Amino acid sequence: MKKQSSRVWKWRRAVAASEFSASTKHVLSKLSYFMDEDGGSCFPSIKDLCEATSLSKNPVRHHLELAAAAGWVSVLPIGSAG
């Protein structure tokens, strides 16, 4: 029986195969580091993503906005998670 890949790995493979720019792929890939082991929702702060990607706030926000516009993520205001 073939073992199923986790949703996190499926996400990472989908990001890699996407048509996003390298920088957007980088942000989305790092986003997966904040997912739970099942690949469920995650709620890193912009600061967390800046630290994980070595990018500043504006580029991180820009790449998240691109991903949100394409339906890959939902960006929530502070305090609305959970």
Side-chain angles (χ1 to χ4, degrees):
M1 178 189 288
K2 183 178 176 185
K3 184 178 177 183
Q4 282 191 306
S5 296
S6 74
R7 286 175 54 192
V8 173
W9 284 106
K10 287 178 183 177
W11 170 266
R12 290 176 183 167
R13 281 194 295 275
V15 167
S18 74
E19 294 187 13
F20 287 120
S21 71
S23 295
T24 303
K25 287 181 180 185
H26 179 56
V27 171
L28 291 177
S29 178
K30 290 298 182 179
L31 188 63
S32 72
Y33 286 71
F34 296 92
M35 293 177 178
D36 61 25
E37 63 187 34
D38 295 324
S41 297
C42 60
F43 301 97
S45 66
I46 295 295
K47 180 182 176 188
D48 290 337
L49 285 173
C50 289
E51 290 173 3
T53 62
S54 298
L55 297 171
S56 61
K57 283 194 280 187
N58 286 340
V60 167
R61 285 184 178 148
H62 171 72
H63 295 297
L64 289 174
E65 288 170 4
L66 292 174
W72 280 66
V73 298
S74 295
V75 180
L76 302 173
I78 295 172
S80 63

